[in-house]
Amino acid sequence: MTPRVPQGRVARGSRLGRLAAGQAARGVGTRLAMIGQPEAARRALAERSSLQAAQQIAAVLGSMKGAAMKLGQMLSVLDVDLVPESHREMFRQKLAELRDSAPVLDFADMRAVIENDLGPLARVFAEFDEQPVAAASIGQVYRARLHDGRAVAVKVKYPGVDKAVLADMRNLQFFAKLLRSFLPSAADTDVLGEIERNMHAELDYRREARTQHRVATRYRDHPYIFVPDSVGEFCGDHVLVTEFVDGLDFGRIRQLPAAERDRIGELVYHFYISALFLDQEFCADPHPGNILLAADGRVAFVDFGLYNRIAPEHLELERQVLLAAADDRAEDLFRMWEERGIIDAATGVTPEDCLGYVWSAAGWHLVDEAITITPELATSAVVLAVDPRSADHRGARRQLLPAEHVFSRRADLFTFTALGQLGATANWHRLAREWLYDEPPTTEIARGIAAWRAAHPARAGL
């Protein structure tokens, strides 16, 4: 039987409410059950609670899809302290099902969506594999072949997902309660508005097709990076057709030798972080499901629903903040944030609070030595940076994150977590110095990218 996507505000809100209440009750019950139990029993109870929690969250958020499932996908790349430390990897693996193998709808339902947009399937496609190759928060992806022979990926929205996401947006105040564990200022009106605008943008497949074509054009013939182009004539309101990437998914990339994972990690950094500062635009969805290793050795990046531009003055503020932190100029950092309204000195936040906060959130860009990013390191940095319960930043947690920085910070933090899943090693500071200090590149890959950019100056404005 085909699972339905709940669409109404009340239905979706009540399911989320039951989920939150269930997790709270489960945590209390498990803690009470552990009182007086020997160590072996406590471990068994912790394992059972972790699995039950992960199964419930995966089932509820996965069946809801839309914005609710997006939250689950965000959870899946973090070893968040929802469960005992000894069982966080188990919890993460279960939640990763939301990223890699979300509940699948029957093809008959998805075929109706395709044909409503494009007409009869056989008129557009010479071949169409009815088994999806991926299932995500807003749609499923299929492999097909056009009549001209091109292999393509066909991303199709779930029936009714637009209404479901709109219902989630109306429940945004409830989401704010869940998001506070990621973002202290999530309840701020401007921040919620920015999240809502981006969720609407992710539903706009025609916009995404135009964006992906522009980015693919920019990266055409790139020596190390591949962005599959969209096929504009076959993209509609609910269907997005792009070139198919034939290669390894992230799960198999993680099994590659360390040297190859390090190479891929550097390219992930260049695509998600360096491009933000060099091109003043960025992809705000750097989770592992969007990273592939193409057959020709290039790293491929997909999914451009959350692709944003950032104004030069906002980008310069981020750069100046990092420069101040790198030089331990706490007073300068404090003054910049106070002038921008990010902090209020009346709350008791100190320059040292601000400096410590930036180092927690972005210190990996500032340490001039080789660092292997592990899941534990990435998660601890994210939790220290954005968890409002963190004892290390009781003053800085009252900062007001400007709305225009919400998704650029998300891109930075979730690039870090993706690299943590990869276990990549690099001197990330040396990569950062290109955009932080406008210095020449220091690695072979970075020099190759710089040479390619110099040979294609017109593409920087695309």
Side-chain angles (χ1 to χ4, degrees):
M1 181 176 177
T2 301
R4 295 180 65 252
V5 178
Q7 298 175 21
R9 176 185 180 184
V10 174
R12 293 177 69 78
S14 63
R15 290 186 79 168
L16 287 166
R18 289 197 300 271
L19 171 61
Q23 293 312 310
R26 187 186 311 284
V28 172
T30 300
R31 287 194 295 272
L32 290 174
M34 284 185 173
I35 295 175
Q37 296 291 330
E39 180 61 28
R42 287 198 295 270
R43 284 199 303 268
L45 284 169
E47 179 174 350
R48 185 178 66 188
S49 176
S50 301
L51 285 175
Q52 288 174 340
Q55 288 164 353
Q56 184 182 11
I57 291 174
V60 173
L61 296 183
S63 65
M64 291 182 71
K65 307 188 185 300
M69 188 170 156
K70 178 66 70 177
L71 176 62
Q73 291 174 327
M74 291 167 63
L75 280 168
S76 74
V77 297
L78 292 177
D79 296 314
V80 291
D81 55 348
L82 297 172
V83 294
E85 184 175 1
S86 59
H87 299 291
R88 288 177 189 168
E89 177 62 16
M90 182 191 313
F91 185 79
R92 185 197 62 76
Q93 289 176 356
K94 183 64 182 176
L95 284 175
E97 294 177 9
L98 292 172
R99 183 187 71 223
D100 301 325
S101 56
V104 176
L105 295 184
D106 289 344
F107 181 68
D109 297 318
M110 305 303 283
R111 178 172 187 152
V113 175
I114 299 170
E115 295 190 332
N116 283 340
D117 262 21
L118 305 182
L121 211 64
R123 190 170 70 190
V124 179
F125 304 104
E127 301 173 13
F128 199 103
D129 187 348
E130 297 182 5
Q131 185 64 33
V133 296
S137 57
I138 289 176
Q140 289 177 182
V141 182
Y142 298 87
R143 182 170 186 166
R145 188 173 300 280
L146 299 176
H147 286 291
D148 63 10
R150 282 180 291 174
V152 292
V154 184
K155 185 160 71 170
V156 186
K157 284 185 193 174
Y158 298 116
V161 77
D162 296 78
K163 292 181 180 179
V165 171
L166 290 176
D168 289 339
M169 293 304 100
R170 290 193 295 270
N171 282 320
L172 205 53
Q173 289 299 327
F174 179 84
F175 271 106
K177 297 177 183 178
L178 295 179
L179 287 168
R180 283 194 186 101
S181 58
F182 299 105
L183 187 64
S185 56
D188 178 74
T189 301
D190 290 341
V191 169
L192 293 178
E194 183 69 11
I195 293 171
E196 183 173 0
R197 282 190 293 275
N198 276 270
M199 287 306 302
H200 282 297
E202 194 170 16
L203 289 170
D204 189 344
Y205 274 12
R206 291 185 186 274
R207 173 188 177 274
E208 183 175 349
R210 293 191 298 270
T211 299
Q212 186 158 343
H213 174 67
R214 180 170 58 80
V215 179
T217 301
R218 170 179 290 175
Y219 282 93
R220 187 176 299 148
D221 303 322
H222 195 284
Y224 309 115
I225 292 170
F226 174 64
V227 174
D229 204 348
S230 58
V231 184
E233 64 265 38
F234 299 130
C235 295
D237 293 329
H238 305 94
V239 180
L240 175 64
V241 179
T242 69
E243 295 175 310
F244 189 86
V245 179
D246 189 9
L248 301 183
D249 62 18
F250 198 83
R252 288 182 288 176
I253 290 174
R254 292 182 68 190
Q255 300 172 12
L256 295 174
E260 179 64 0
R261 286 186 282 110
D262 294 345
R263 182 187 77 90
I264 294 169
E266 180 175 346
L267 292 170
V268 168
Y269 186 94
H270 284 296
F271 185 78
Y272 286 122
I273 303 297
S274 298
L276 165 63
F277 288 90
L278 296 175
D279 299 326
Q280 299 173 10
E281 60 182 53
F282 62 97
C283 183
D285 204 10
H287 71 74
N290 293 337
I291 301 168
L292 302 161
L293 181 61
D296 63 5
R298 290 185 293 174
V299 178
F301 297 91
V302 300
D303 198 338
F304 292 85
L306 289 176
Y307 198 85
N308 296 311
R309 294 183 185 272
I310 185 168
E313 61 270 24
H314 301 320
L315 202 57
E316 184 60 18
L317 174 64
E318 294 200 19
R319 197 175 73 89
Q320 290 299 326
V321 164
L322 288 173
L323 287 171
D327 298 335
D328 287 328
R329 291 185 283 113
E331 294 288 345
D332 291 345
L333 172 56
F334 181 89
R335 186 180 64 256
M336 280 188 283
W337 274 7
E338 188 175 30
E339 290 175 352
R340 178 60 182 80
I342 296 173
I343 58 168
D344 181 357
T347 64
V349 63
T350 68
E352 289 70 28
D353 286 333
C354 298
L355 185 64
Y357 185 89
V358 173
W359 270 92
S360 294
W364 66 298
H365 300 298
L366 307 178
V367 178
D368 191 7
E369 61 183 65
I371 297 175
T372 298
I373 304 176
T374 64
E376 295 76 19
L377 179 63
T379 296
S380 64
V382 173
V383 169
L384 283 171
V386 300
D387 189 344
R389 297 164 297 179
S390 172
D392 294 337
H393 306 297
R394 294 191 184 276
R397 76 187 188 187
R398 290 190 289 269
Q399 66 170 303
L400 177 63
L401 180 65
E404 62 270 11
H405 293 275
V406 170
F407 281 86
S408 62
R409 291 304 87 222
R410 182 186 190 275
D412 187 278
L413 288 170
F414 280 83
T415 297
F416 195 40
T417 63
L419 292 171
Q421 296 300 317
L422 191 60
T425 301
N427 186 323
W428 310 103
H429 177 68
R430 289 290 156 180
L431 301 180
R433 292 186 75 90
E434 288 186 57
W435 50 264
L436 194 55
Y437 295 98
D438 194 25
E439 290 185 356
T442 58
T443 70
E444 180 181 350
I445 287 175
R447 286 190 290 269
I449 292 175
W452 180 85
R453 291 178 67 92
H456 303 88
R459 293 188 184 176
L462 291 174

